[in-house]
Amino acid sequence: MPESLPPHLQSTVNELSESHYFETNPCPPSLKAHAAAASAFISQHVSQNRRVVLVSSGGTTVPLENQTVRFIDNFSAGTRGATSAEYFLEAGYAVIFLHRQFSLLPYSRHYSHSTNCFLDFLEEAYTTTTTIPTISPPGSNRAADREEVEKENPRIQVPQQYLTPMLTVLRKYRRAKAHNLLLLLPFTTITSYLFTLREIAMCMRPLGDMAMFYLAAAVSDFFVPPSRMVEHKIQSGEIPQSVLDGRKDGKAAKLVVKDEEREQRSEKEPVKVAPGGAGQKLVVDLDPVPKFLKKLVEAWAPDAMIISFKLETDPSLLLHKCRQSLDRYSHHLVIGNLLSTRKYEVVFVDRQGEQWIRLHRYDDETDGSSAAVTGQQPIVEGEGDEIESIIIPQCVRRHEELMMRKSVERVER
Ligand code: PMT
């Protein structure tokens, strides 16, 4: 979208591109089931007067083919989202965890394949009720008998040294399940993420200002629109014409484009996904995904507290991009982070200004950190391993202030 348009025209263009996006992209098959699950979950928590936060987590994919073999992805494993969800649960919120399928989940993240494989925390044990003499009579085959008895009663147990931390996680997990405090909704593509976000935001409306959106997912900015999406796997080599002629889907045939053909095409009809034959390039031309934050703030969830994240790699851009996001979307808070320091340093940007947050244990590692680059000292410093233990109480406090302000406004009206 042209950045130079006056604001009223810019918003009209945005509006059109958003509605066009939903009209032209396929609705995910899981949407109805997700909406039904979310509605039931929200009704329960509305009736219990409990706050609900939607935490988005992990990265969205951009498929290159309809029957997707290849897709564009990003680095996010969902650590921020999964960790934050646990702290929200501890703060008394019910959590709708809108996450990339197979990314990290609250609680199980502590024993996932990427950090600690759960199998390394377990050992075999055997229960036996048979008393076996320690000294077997000569010639007896007691040892073999014992083995048989033991194998009939196998158990898996957690060695003592791992027990306390595992029990703590297990109890929190069981509590969340027992009280139905955590709803897991998976997405994979950018399209399924956006359709689901819109749908669930509508479902959350009855919560009013008791709803919060905490958007930690890494959302694709570019995608292949359906009109240019090929059905089948993109081929890297030439396919004989006789094979292509027999194919029902003519689109795929168009994909193998020689360099000279590519040059001959008019600008109006560019090749968007054009793999060449052996040694040729794959040219992927993507459209921008319309920005949905504005729509969320203004139309889908006008009463909710909305917090977005901003990820940058260049420290000199971070604050500017956070402020720009706040100005553009007029939501409540932007949490900025740099790829290299995101696990121990973030900056809160709102209308009052900015506030740096950093974990104590990383105080020495200021090289390249955003606070060091801007010369800012952290305003909030914290102990512990997880910066989310500081981020979430700050978000909760701001949410409470917002709810208080809104309730005063309601009384004054
Ligand atoms: O998983 P981890 O390793 O822990 O990493 C966590 C994280 C770095 C991914 C997380 O902390 C983070 O920064 N998430 C946001 C990353 C991101 O997508 O930034 P962005 O600048 O592309 O988008 C900013 C905001 O605009 C997002 O809140 C997004 O919801 C919104 N957006 C983006 C695209 C789009 N089409 N519409 C939007 O509204």
Side-chain angles (χ1 to χ4, degrees):
M1 195 197 322
E3 297 274 328
S4 52
L5 283 176
H8 68 286
L9 284 182
Q10 184 124 3
S11 75
T12 309
V13 172
N14 210 16
E15 188 96 9
L16 288 173
S17 59
E18 280 150 14
S19 49
H20 183 72
Y21 185 91
F22 285 116
E23 279 159 19
T24 53
N25 282 279
C27 172
S30 57
L31 192 65
K32 266 192 174 172
H34 282 1
S39 292
F41 184 82
I42 290 156
S43 298
Q44 176 196 327
H45 296 298
V46 167
S47 71
Q48 293 171 348
N49 207 28
R50 186 175 285 118
R51 292 178 219 157
V52 178
V53 57
L54 179 143
V55 175
S56 78
S57 181
T60 59
T61 67
V62 175
L64 298 182
E65 302 122 338
N66 244 339
Q67 296 191 34
T68 309
V69 174
R70 300 185 181 99
F71 53 86
I72 301 173
D73 205 349
N74 69 64
F75 76 96
S76 173
T79 314
R80 173 84 75 221
T83 312
S84 301
E86 288 180 21
Y87 287 101
F88 275 119
L89 286 161
E90 255 170 59
Y93 283 68
V95 175
I96 298 176
F97 192 62
L98 181 58
H99 66 284
R100 164 73 178 278
Q101 190 178 35
F102 309 130
S103 64
L104 293 177
L105 295 177
Y107 305 118
S108 69
R109 76 180 169 101
H110 297 276
Y111 300 99
S112 83
H113 59 283
S114 56
T115 46
N116 299 319
C117 173
F118 73 97
L119 292 172
D120 292 330
F121 291 81
L122 301 174
E123 66 184 13
E124 266 182 86
Y126 296 98
T127 312
T128 174
T129 50
T130 318
T131 315
I132 296 168
T134 44
I135 303 166
S136 306
S140 97
N141 63 350
R142 276 283 180 196
D145 289 349
R146 188 175 66 174
E147 216 162 82
E148 257 169 41
V149 172
E150 285 176 343
K151 277 192 174 160
E152 277 170 17
N153 302 291
R155 279 187 302 124
I156 291 175
Q157 67 184 25
V158 177
Q160 196 59 37
Q161 71 267 31
Y162 305 134
L163 204 60
T164 307
M166 195 177 266
L167 208 54
T168 308
V169 172
L170 183 67
R171 283 180 181 151
K172 288 179 182 173
Y173 171 69
R174 289 221 185 282
R175 179 186 163 269
K177 279 198 100 169
H179 298 278
N180 193 30
L181 293 168
L182 177 60
L183 179 67
L184 303 179
L185 299 180
F187 64 80
T188 305
T189 64
I190 170 73
T191 308
S192 62
Y193 170 76
L194 289 174
F195 267 94
T196 313
L197 178 65
R198 181 177 70 160
E199 194 70 24
I200 306 305
M202 307 287 194
C203 296
M204 286 173 75
R205 279 179 163 191
L207 287 156
D209 57 16
M210 288 179 76
M212 186 200 281
F213 288 78
Y214 179 90
L215 303 171
V219 183
S220 323
D221 286 322
F222 301 99
F223 79 122
V224 181
S227 58
R228 297 206 305 268
M229 181 90 86
V230 293
E231 180 63 22
H232 293 290
K233 184 186 162 203
I234 296 167
Q235 298 297 319
S236 60
E238 298 282 349
I239 308 285
Q241 195 54 48
S242 56
V243 176
L244 291 176
D245 288 346
R247 222 175 189 183
K248 284 187 193 133
D249 170 28
K251 265 191 195 171
K254 302 251 164 50
L255 277 175
V256 179
V257 183
K258 293 211 175 89
D259 280 345
E260 43 302 1
E261 270 180 69
R262 215 176 275 156
E263 276 159 26
Q264 280 164 16
R265 282 174 183 251
S266 74
E267 290 236 327
K268 279 186 188 153
E269 196 201 355
V271 178
K272 299 303 179 189
V273 181
Q280 288 186 316
K281 290 176 183 170
L282 170 68
V283 179
V284 182
D285 189 355
L286 303 166
D287 276 10
V289 176
K291 293 291 181 193
F292 285 92
L293 215 42
K294 186 128 193 106
K295 202 76 189 163
L296 179 70
V297 175
E298 286 179 356
W300 303 344
D303 297 323
M305 164 121 195
I306 297 179
I307 300 171
S308 75
F309 276 80
K310 188 82 215 156
L311 173 68
E312 289 300 333
T313 54
D314 180 346
S316 63
L317 289 184
L318 185 63
L319 273 178
H320 164 72
K321 295 301 285 277
C322 291
R323 289 187 194 121
Q324 188 183 53
S325 172
L326 204 64
D327 286 347
R328 211 169 257 175
Y329 307 121
S330 314
H331 54 309
H332 302 98
L333 174 66
V334 178
I335 304 179
N337 53 177
L338 289 171
L339 186 64
S340 54
T341 59
R342 69 190 188 284
K343 289 192 196 294
Y344 58 87
E345 188 173 59
V346 298
V347 59
F348 277 37
V349 180
D350 66 8
R351 261 160 245 308
Q352 275 67 55
E354 63 257 9
Q355 185 184 34
W356 290 94
I357 295 180
R358 190 191 300 153
L359 288 181
H360 268 314
R361 65 189 292 243
Y362 294 103
D363 274 353
D364 295 337
E365 297 184 29
T366 46
D367 263 13
S369 81
S370 47
V373 167
T374 58
Q376 300 276 345
Q377 284 308 307
I379 292 175
V380 182
E381 287 189 280
E383 307 295 341
D385 289 336
E386 296 179 326
I387 195 161
E388 290 78 6
S389 69
I390 314 170
I391 295 176
I392 306 311
Q394 292 276 333
C395 292
V396 170
R397 184 179 57 75
R398 285 159 192 255
H399 191 195
E400 278 161 0
E401 284 169 6
L402 180 76
M403 287 169 64
M404 188 67 80
R405 276 202 305 278
K406 291 208 172 191
S407 100
V408 171
E409 279 167 23
R410 277 195 292 271
V411 170
E412 284 174 356
R413 249 187 262 131

